[in-house]
Amino acid sequence: MPFSKPIRAVTLDLDDTLWPIYPTIIRAETLLHVWLAEHAPATAQAHTISDLRRLREQLGAERPDLAHDLSALRRESIRRALLVSGEDPALAEPAFDHFFAERQRVELYEDARPALARIAARLPVVALSNGNADLRTIGLDYHFVAAVSAREFGVGKPDAAIFLHACERAGFAPDEVLHVGDDPHLDVLGAQAAGQPAAWVDRGLHRAPEGFAPQLRVTDMAQLADRLGV
């Protein structure tokens, strides 16, 4: 195994590592628009689904202080759409709740659940995500000893601080904790900068940057479990 020390724990990305996030978000945004059409018709009429997505992206550019909190960013973008349309901004809360509930209805990759069970049976696993998935709602929380999110911690990947905090939650030094994720920059390079070995789950979603050298490259979680010998 290409590690300087034995791996004693794992920090694990969620979106696009255990499940594809894009179909989930598209479905949640579609149902959010349906909700707005019923409860805030002027907002729904004035904003297509694409308009609401662009508004969220625009707000993200204007509010870098919310970059680590995707829930707050989504909620504020809904509130802005309501205000522009002359409707009650307080509707942003139930509108977001509707979106958020649907966002938790993820469909795991076929390999993810059995491989996660294999890994978690042998090593402590800490979820480490910039997203806003709720593991308890999804029904995977029992596989994890802890969950670290950018929203709760205050900064997101690739900041070294969040990786180091996740290692603390795992109870081991960074060079003993393997970080696993799909994003070469956020996950692999971020973890390596924090002193962690990294495994790239390459599901074909990202192009590897020049000189990219993860300690492991796998195409799915089952292959990762095999490589870890669990």
Side-chain angles (χ1 to χ4, degrees):
M1 297 292 287
F3 306 121
S4 61
K5 289 187 177 181
I7 297 302
R8 302 180 68 184
V10 170
T11 55
L12 180 64
D13 175 58
L14 301 176
D15 293 336
D16 286 332
T17 297
L18 296 184
W19 53 75
I21 190 57
Y22 185 72
T24 303
I25 296 299
I26 293 299
R27 187 180 66 245
E29 288 179 338
T30 300
L31 292 181
L32 168 63
H33 200 266
V34 171
W35 189 95
L36 290 171
E38 179 179 355
H39 300 278
T43 301
Q45 186 173 5
H47 299 83
T48 65
I49 296 172
S50 296
D51 291 335
L52 292 172
R53 189 177 303 128
R54 283 191 293 270
L55 183 60
R56 188 183 65 85
E57 292 169 354
Q58 177 185 346
L59 184 62
E62 295 173 4
R63 295 285 306 275
D65 58 305
L66 295 181
H68 67 285
D69 191 343
L70 299 183
S71 293
L73 191 59
R74 178 78 63 176
R75 191 182 294 108
E76 283 302 311
S77 68
I78 297 170
R79 183 175 287 112
R80 179 174 292 190
L82 290 161
L83 284 168
V84 168
S85 303
E87 294 188 303
D88 185 1
L91 289 172
E93 295 296 334
F96 173 78
D97 290 345
H98 190 74
F99 167 88
F100 190 70
E102 190 62 27
R103 185 260 184 268
Q104 308 308 318
R105 292 184 60 242
V106 298
E107 296 182 13
L108 275 69
Y109 292 114
E110 185 177 352
D111 57 272
R113 190 183 298 272
L116 177 59
R118 288 170 58 190
I119 296 168
R122 296 286 298 277
L123 298 167
V125 182
V126 175
L128 178 54
S129 178
N130 283 2
N132 53 6
D134 185 323
L135 289 170
R136 180 173 296 179
T137 300
I138 292 169
L140 293 176
D141 57 306
Y142 60 94
H143 288 304
F144 296 84
V145 300
V148 175
S149 72
R151 179 180 62 83
E152 294 175 350
F153 185 67
V155 298
K157 299 177 294 184
D159 193 300
I162 195 169
F163 288 98
L164 295 175
H165 178 69
C167 290
E168 289 178 6
R169 297 295 302 275
F172 295 99
D175 59 358
E176 298 175 304
V177 182
L178 178 68
H179 180 68
V180 178
D182 72 287
D183 192 296
H185 294 279
L186 297 181
D187 289 304
V188 176
L189 295 179
Q192 289 175 331
Q196 284 186 255
W200 181 31
V201 182
D202 179 12
R203 296 189 183 273
L205 302 175
H206 303 281
R207 181 177 297 179
E210 186 175 351
F212 182 63
Q215 278 73 20
L216 283 180
R217 176 188 172 276
V218 296
T219 56
D220 59 32
M221 291 292 293
Q223 194 175 91
L224 175 69
D226 290 343
R227 296 290 297 275
L228 289 175
V230 298

